[in-house]
Structures are given as C-alpha cells and as structure tokens.
Amino acid sequence: MTTHDVHKVRNFEHPGAGRKRAKATPKGRQVDLVAAHEVEQLLGNRPRQRDMLIEFLHLIQDRYRQISAAHLAALADELKLSFAEVFETATFYAHFDVVKEGEPDIAPLTIRVCDSLTCAMLGAEPLLQELQSTAGPGIRVVRAPCVGRCDTAPAVEVGHNFIDHATVDNVLATAKAGDTHAHLPAYVDYDAYVSGGGYKLLDRLRSGELAKEGLLKSLDDASLRGLGGAGFPTGRKWRAVLGEPGPRLMAINGDEGEPGTFKDRYYLETDPHRFLEGMLIGAHVVEAPEVYIYIRDEYPASREILEREIAKLPAGGPKLHMRRGAGAYICGEESSLLESIEGKRGLPRHKPPYPFQVGLFGLPTLINNVETLWWVRDIVEKGADWWKSHGRHERQGLRSFSVSGRVKNPGMKLAPAGITVRELIEEYCGGMADGHVFRAYLPGGASGGILPADMDDIPLDFGTLEKYGCFIGSAAIVILSQQDSVRLAALNLMRFFEDESCGQCTPCRVGTQKAAQLMERPVWNRALLDELSQAMRDASICGLGQAASNPLTSVIKYFPDEFKEAAE
C-alpha cells in the first residue's frame, strides 16, 4: 500500500452516514513541506542511514543555528524513524539547540563560557555574568562544561572560535567582528610527516616485512597502556580483538571531556599523522576494514585538521569515517561512544559482553584513545627499551600531563612516568604562580580525587595512587593554592557530574544530584555523604557514577580543617 493509499483510507467517509461529520485529519505529526525540502537539500546524496542521525542533526544545527520541531519531523521522515527517536537523540546532546513548538528562536550567535574547575578558579563566573548583561541582542551567553583549554583559562567559545584568556572585551570584540570559525594552528602536515619518515612503519607492516606478532611484542615489551584513563594494556587489547571472529571494526575515542584534560587536542593539533599512522597500524593488525574516528564537538580545529589530512592519504587501507560528538561527557565511556557513533543517545551498555566481543554495530571492535595510538610508531621504531628508559621513582615510560591551575607555565608537559607533582611544578611549570602557595592538587582530572600539598611525593603513574583513593586517569593535573577552597572545588566537580550524568541509572542520576545538594550546605552530613558515595560506587552502571564521589571523599579524608569549617 502506498502513502497515497493510506491517506485515502484515513480520509474515507462512509456514504451511509446520516449526519455531517467533521473533516477528517491525518493522525500523527505532519511534515512541513518547506522543512522537508530544506532537510533534503542539506542531506544531499548522503546515505539515509540510521547511524548518520547525529551527523545530520549537526548539518541542521550548523545551517540554522538551531533545530526546529519542523526540521526534526522532516529528518525523522527522511530517515524513516519515529519522531520520538529523533527528538530523544537531539535533546540528549548539549550542543543541539532544539526549539520546541511555540518557543522563540534561539539567538543567531551563542557564546559558551566554560565554568569547569580551572576556568572557575580563574574568573569564569564573573565573566559569565558580565557577558550575559552586556552581550546585547542577537547573542546568547550560556555556561559550558570543560572545553579542553584549561591551560589558557578562562576559555570562551564564540560560535566555533575559542578565545583563550578570555575577557569581556576580547570576547565581545570577536563576536562583533563575526569571527566565529575555528582557527587552525601550525601543524605537521602530510608532506612534512612523510619527509620525516612517516608511514614507513605502516608500509613495512602491510608489505609483510614486519610481522604482526613482532609489532605486538614491541607494545607488550614497552607495557604501553591505554592513555585515555583506563590504562588497559594495548597489546593485550589488540590480541583480544584479533581473537574474535571477523568482521571486526575499530573506533577512536577522541571525546576528551574530563575536566583538566587537553593532551589529545595538543597531539591532534600539532602532529596528527603520527596518530593516524598508529590508527592505521591498529586497524591492519586487527583486520578492521572500517574505522570510525569520534572527535568531540569542542575540538573543531582538531576535526578540521583531520578531515584535511585524511584526504591526503593514499588510496587503500580501511575506510575512514569521521564522527562528531555533540557535547556529552558520557560519550568518553567506551560503550557510550559506540552508541553515539550509531546515532543514538550516549547511554552506557551493560557489560558483559565487552566491546571487543560485541561492539560497534554488534561486531568485535577495537577502541583506542588518540594518545595511545600516537605513541605506537615511536615505540616500535625506537624499541621498547627506549620507552622504558624514561621514568622516575621505579616507574617506566613517558606521560603526557595536562597541567593547569595556579602554576606559572601551565600546558601539556611530556614528562617521565612516576614524576611527583612537586617535581612537575618546579621542573616543568616554572613553579607556582606569583602570590600562590601550593595547597592541593587533582592527580587525575575531575574523577581522580584531590590530594593535599604535603602528599607531593607520590609517583604519578598507573597503580600508585589507588591506595589513597585516587587514580591518575588521563593525567590531568590541576593545581590549587591557598586562595582556593578545596570544598568548593569538590562542589564544582560534583555539579559537573550531575550535569553530565546520562540519567540511565538511578545511583548516578539521583546520587550526583543529592550529593551536590548536600555539599552546598554549610554543614555537611558526613554519614549520609559516605553512604551515598558508597551506593554510587557500588551500583552505578559506568565509571562516571562510580568515580563521581572521589573528590568528595577526598575532602573529608584529607582536608579536615576545611571539613571542620563546614561542620561548625
């Protein structure tokens, strides 16, 4: 039956009706013809695949600076999906500005002010309030979670152009000038990378000169671990995926959303082909014919650089798909990442099965972080002994520390694994900022806990912090001084987790909300907070809820003076 036939049946009026009936109307949401034409033109000849939903939502958002109900209905019709499916996906992600029926249009320009910990320490709140009061018509000013520019805090995004060390004057001047597109930094392009020996290792592997087993042994001998935070042995992960029956896929986790973390952005914006070569090597080893590269929406320059440079790669090899995040920290969790690539809400999957068994589109999937792959070439070419020759305090290897906060020279610091925070501050950051005395630090980003300055001799590496209730995670180091309240820092982090919880499980959805409310009180109920923290750790589906209470419990355990102040 055709659509025309369906409408004929719906509008049929029985000839024997004895009274006049009201004009029949089609049931369900109707597609606006203008919106349908606009969506059709935007999609062009792209395949109408379910997994392209988020990419198509981006097309609408970029073109119209918002997504209307009419466009959602037209997109649903184009993809043969229910309106509910499209609506729930669009409203899940913070960067999609969905305008419901009857609501006014959103201002043409959006300014996002990062209010995560480092930006908050350096004046984000007064900056936000002043921008909201002075921006004027046609400009919307909103809060944003960490945008990965903690070393140049406070950070503000004008359209897709980021302003480092933002002030009211330079933000409004940028907005007035209409300078809303990402600016690309200088980086090593394809020709420069190849002239420096790039892609020779990949060629050796593809030609058979270098055996897969030899390459995997190099990764095993170097003990390279996942550098996105989990720290799983890389060689072991590749072997596990290869051990599953094909076909297999590969997915890149470029959703670097942990507050305080910006190392992946640094590598993508300086030497992207070193990452791409590592990625292509991984795909070859696990025999993945397709690779999906997921980059967070807050990294427009990284995404544009990759698109440009991928176009320069020689023909052959796996098919590469670029996928764009849409403002959801939870999508850094590996199973949520897969759901988002498939065009869905980023809800964590229950495990087992694990992604290496049942991953993207139900196939065994290799998932690697950007930085992990960035190191593959160096480790194989220079050897495991070269990698292990670095390190301090009986640790081995190198770590990319994202350092921000109260230091003179914040930034991405490549340092020996096992370095202490005191050594990191003095040797790599020029010491503390003028007028600031070291008081506390986050050794592993928002979820890695908070330690006092007198615990500055702990080697920073995998496995060294867990006994203190902390972990290194993605090696994001935030330095606090005597001018900062550790209790307020923990509250900032809990509010972040509350906002970024996907809402799927009650322990995390309700737990982060209740914890934030309890932490706002001048008197903390320690027994209740301890019980709540334990419930979140034990019962949350994924790492967000399981680790969200680490800063809270750190304050109670390591900062009794501040905790006592709160309890008076």
Side-chain angles (χ1 to χ4, degrees):
M1 180 178 289
T2 67
T3 303
H4 179 66
D5 292 332
V6 170
H7 284 300
K8 284 175 63 178
V9 171
R10 285 178 176 171
N11 293 325
F12 176 73
E13 187 169 330
H14 195 280
R19 58 184 176 84
K20 186 176 180 180
R21 299 181 60 180
K23 183 178 179 181
T25 56
K27 299 296 187 291
R29 187 179 299 274
Q30 300 307 295
V31 176
D32 179 82
L33 294 180
V34 174
H37 176 73
E38 291 171 343
V39 168
E40 183 181 4
Q41 292 297 306
L42 277 175
L43 270 54
N45 60 0
R46 297 176 178 86
R48 272 47 170 180
Q49 298 171 187
R50 172 66 176 81
D51 61 282
M52 291 293 288
L53 174 57
I54 293 174
E55 295 299 303
F56 293 160
L57 288 168
H58 275 302
L59 291 176
I60 298 172
Q61 176 81 31
D62 290 345
R63 173 65 179 82
Y64 298 102
R65 302 187 185 92
Q66 63 181 31
I67 304 176
S68 68
H71 282 136
L72 286 179
L75 182 59
D77 185 67
E78 192 76 19
L79 294 179
K80 302 299 184 284
L81 298 173
S82 69
F83 181 86
E85 286 180 275
V86 177
F87 180 82
E88 71 178 9
T89 300
T91 53
F92 180 85
Y93 296 93
H95 288 189
F96 291 142
D97 297 317
V98 177
V99 180
K100 301 173 184 177
E101 291 180 352
E103 292 183 344
D105 287 346
I106 291 171
L109 177 62
T110 294
I111 294 176
R112 300 181 188 274
V113 181
C114 177
D115 69 350
S116 287
L117 182 56
T118 305
C119 285
M121 291 164 56
L122 295 174
E125 188 62 33
L127 176 62
L128 171 71
Q129 293 178 5
E130 190 169 353
L131 283 172
Q132 287 177 332
S133 64
T134 60
I139 300 177
R140 180 181 62 145
V141 181
V142 298
R143 297 179 183 273
C146 187
V147 297
R149 307 186 82 85
C150 317
D151 53 332
T152 56
V156 171
E157 185 181 16
V158 179
H160 287 299
N161 180 15
F162 282 95
I163 310 300
D164 296 329
H165 305 296
T167 65
V168 172
D169 290 342
N170 62 21
V171 170
L172 294 183
T174 301
K176 184 177 180 180
D179 187 9
T180 60
H181 297 288
H183 293 194
L184 303 191
Y187 63 90
V188 179
D189 66 6
Y190 177 77
D191 291 335
Y193 184 73
V194 171
S195 66
Y199 291 110
K200 287 185 178 179
L201 178 62
L202 176 63
D203 291 340
R204 289 176 57 207
L205 185 66
R206 287 177 172 175
S207 68
E209 178 186 344
L210 173 64
K212 288 183 182 179
E213 185 54 41
L215 185 141
L216 288 169
K217 186 176 186 302
S218 294
L219 300 183
D220 291 338
D221 291 345
S223 300
L224 178 65
R225 301 175 69 167
L227 298 172
F232 194 85
T234 303
R236 181 178 165 191
K237 176 183 280 191
W238 289 18
R239 293 177 193 276
V241 175
L242 187 59
E244 295 294 313
R248 309 174 192 92
L249 295 174
M250 185 176 187
I252 305 304
N253 189 343
D255 195 69
E256 185 178 48
E258 181 80 2
T261 313
F262 46 88
K263 61 183 179 59
D264 286 355
R265 177 178 63 82
Y266 172 84
Y267 286 122
L268 290 174
E269 293 182 0
T270 55
D271 198 356
H273 283 281
R274 197 171 297 268
F275 150 69
L276 289 173
E277 183 170 12
M279 177 192 73
L280 293 172
I281 287 170
H284 181 85
V285 168
V286 302
E287 301 169 9
E290 298 185 42
V291 180
Y292 289 78
I293 306 171
Y294 189 96
I295 304 295
R296 68 186 307 220
D297 198 33
E298 292 87 344
Y299 287 179
S302 300
R303 194 172 61 251
E304 185 172 342
I305 287 171
L306 286 178
E307 289 172 348
R308 289 186 179 189
E309 297 306 308
I310 286 173
K312 300 175 183 177
L313 294 176
K319 185 176 181 180
L320 306 182
H321 305 268
M322 286 289 296
R323 291 299 169 89
R324 178 178 170 186
Y329 165 73
I330 190 63
C331 291
E333 193 276 334
E334 60 179 7
S335 65
S336 300
L337 175 88
L338 299 181
E339 290 289 297
S340 190
I341 291 175
E342 292 179 2
K344 306 171 188 175
R345 294 175 294 165
L347 302 181
R349 298 176 180 176
H350 291 275
K351 303 171 187 177
Y354 296 94
F356 80 89
Q357 301 165 313
V358 180
L360 192 58
F361 307 119
L363 300 176
T365 303
L366 172 62
I367 305 174
N368 276 133
N369 163 262
V370 168
E371 191 203 351
T372 308
L373 298 169
W374 198 90
W375 285 113
V376 168
R377 176 189 166 191
D378 278 345
I379 288 175
V380 177
E381 287 185 344
K382 297 178 181 179
D385 289 341
W386 164 81
W387 176 260
K388 294 165 72 173
S389 68
H390 300 281
R392 292 188 187 178
H393 307 295
E394 301 181 351
R395 312 302 297 182
Q396 295 179 332
L398 292 165
R399 290 290 174 270
S400 303
F401 294 98
S402 304
V403 185
S404 65
R406 308 298 190 176
V407 294
K408 283 185 179 178
N409 302 312
M412 205 293 290
K413 311 295 180 180
L414 184 60
I419 193 172
T420 67
V421 69
R422 179 68 71 176
E423 293 168 338
L424 190 63
I425 293 171
E426 297 300 329
E427 298 177 33
Y428 288 83
C429 302
M432 294 293 292
D434 292 340
H436 292 270
V437 178
F438 183 31
R439 185 185 183 202
Y441 67 106
L442 278 66
S447 55
I450 307 176
L451 293 173
D454 59 13
M455 295 177 68
D456 61 356
D457 58 349
I458 303 171
L460 298 175
D461 197 13
F462 295 112
T464 62
L465 294 156
E466 282 75 1
K467 63 182 177 181
Y468 306 106
C470 300
F471 55 81
I472 191 169
S474 58
I477 313 295
V478 183
I479 306 298
L480 282 68
S481 77
Q482 86 285 1
Q483 297 187 22
D484 303 306
S485 166
V486 180
R487 187 165 64 93
L488 291 180
L491 176 57
N492 177 284
L493 300 173
M494 187 60 73
R495 285 172 175 162
F496 169 82
F497 291 127
E498 176 191 2
D499 187 61
E500 293 296 324
S501 173
C502 75
Q504 181 178 193
C505 70
T506 302
C508 177
R509 181 185 69 251
V510 178
T512 53
Q513 179 191 52
K514 297 301 182 184
Q517 291 173 349
L518 290 169
M519 293 168 72
E520 289 170 355
R521 297 178 180 179
V523 177
W524 280 13
N525 185 328
R526 177 171 182 171
L528 185 57
L529 284 169
D530 283 342
E531 183 181 359
L532 180 59
S533 298
Q534 191 64 49
M536 292 166 64
R537 283 193 294 270
D538 291 344
S540 295
I541 291 175
C542 79
L544 191 157
Q546 294 164 10
S549 64
N550 285 342
L552 159 64
T553 55
S554 295
V555 172
I556 294 174
K557 184 175 182 179
Y558 296 115
F559 299 90
D561 292 341
E562 188 148 344
F563 179 70
K564 287 178 182 177
E565 286 178 11
E568 288 177 356

